[in-house]
Amino acid sequence: GAAVEITERAESEKRVQDSQALYASLVATIPMNVFRKDLEGRITFMSPKFCDELGLSETEVIGKTDFDLFPKELAEKYRADDRRVIEAGETIEVVEEFESTADSRSFVQTVKTPVRDANGKVIGMQGVFWDITEKKLAEDERKRMEEKLQETQKLESLGVLAGGIAHDFNNLLTGVL
């Protein structure tokens, strides 16, 4: 009877506490930035790493929007991505610019997913992102080198074509002369 119910309730509460402790531990130690926002784009959660990245405390960030924290063009892009996730109810992954301080810009890989209530209704979005600046710069450099190589190959082809035309023209002139 009552003793069994009390024991079951205690075990259930212990599982919830263990689950919350695991979640808090994961978010606190994961080497990525984690955040959550409500449907209006207000931040409802931000990991300690993300707060450190911004140089702000959790209390300075909770309730704020991207427009309070980032330059207008970045905030507009972030908000558009958030809306896409919320409206489509689907996960997106993007590479985007990130500005943690006025003089510190970087590139980040971001994964945003919808947050749903117990009935499956989307009630916000959450995201995780990590710095990929060095990888992005290396990719950009590789692309520039590939483009230069293609241009060089085009010029070589043009040179061969021009040489062939000149040779044909020379043969034609020799025949005329």
Side-chain angles (χ1 to χ4, degrees):
V4 172
E5 279 183 35
I6 292 170
T7 304
E8 285 175 359
R9 173 179 240 155
E11 287 173 0
S12 177
E13 285 175 6
K14 172 90 172 89
R15 281 195 302 273
V16 168
Q17 287 172 345
D18 289 348
S19 177
Q20 287 173 332
L22 173 64
Y23 175 76
S25 170
L26 276 172
V27 169
T29 59
I30 193 170
M32 298 171 183
N33 300 283
V34 181
F35 59 93
R36 268 189 169 191
K37 297 177 191 168
D38 64 16
L39 293 173
E40 284 74 46
R42 289 183 301 256
I43 295 164
T44 58
F45 172 82
M46 191 173 274
S47 65
K49 180 175 177 7
F50 196 173
C51 290
D52 290 346
E53 192 94 26
L54 291 176
L56 299 170
S57 71
E58 190 176 3
T59 55
E60 292 173 293
V61 172
I62 299 301
K64 298 270 190 337
T65 71
D66 290 331
F67 290 93
D68 299 318
L69 301 170
F70 302 105
K72 187 172 182 270
E73 73 276 3
L74 286 181
E76 286 172 350
K77 192 224 179 287
Y78 298 160
R79 186 65 185 141
D81 288 346
D82 295 353
R83 280 199 188 104
R84 222 169 86 210
V85 169
I86 288 166
E87 288 165 13
E90 294 175 1
T91 297
I92 66 165
E93 188 167 347
V94 291
V95 171
E96 58 197 358
E97 268 192 82
F98 176 72
E99 192 170 300
S100 56
T101 59
D103 60 345
S104 174
R105 270 195 128 108
S106 57
F107 289 95
V108 295
Q109 181 93 28
T110 305
V111 178
K112 293 182 175 184
T113 60
V115 174
R116 298 176 189 278
D117 66 11
N119 300 321
K121 182 176 178 252
V122 175
I123 57 168
M125 57 81 49
Q126 62 190 357
V128 58
F129 69 92
W130 57 97
D131 192 310
I132 59 159
T133 304
E134 288 179 27
K135 182 180 167 194
K136 173 96 167 77
L137 294 177
E139 277 178 21
D140 289 351
E141 183 60 26
R142 183 184 52 78
K143 283 181 188 164
R144 277 196 295 277
M145 296 301 267
E146 284 176 359
E147 286 166 6
K148 278 184 183 173
L149 179 64
Q150 285 176 343
E151 263 181 50
T152 303
Q153 288 170 337
K154 282 181 199 168
L155 288 173
E156 284 175 4
S157 298
L158 269 175
V160 169
L161 182 65
I165 291 171
H167 182 75
D168 290 349
F169 189 67
N170 197 15
N171 287 346
L172 197 78
L173 276 179
T174 304
V176 167
L177 292 173

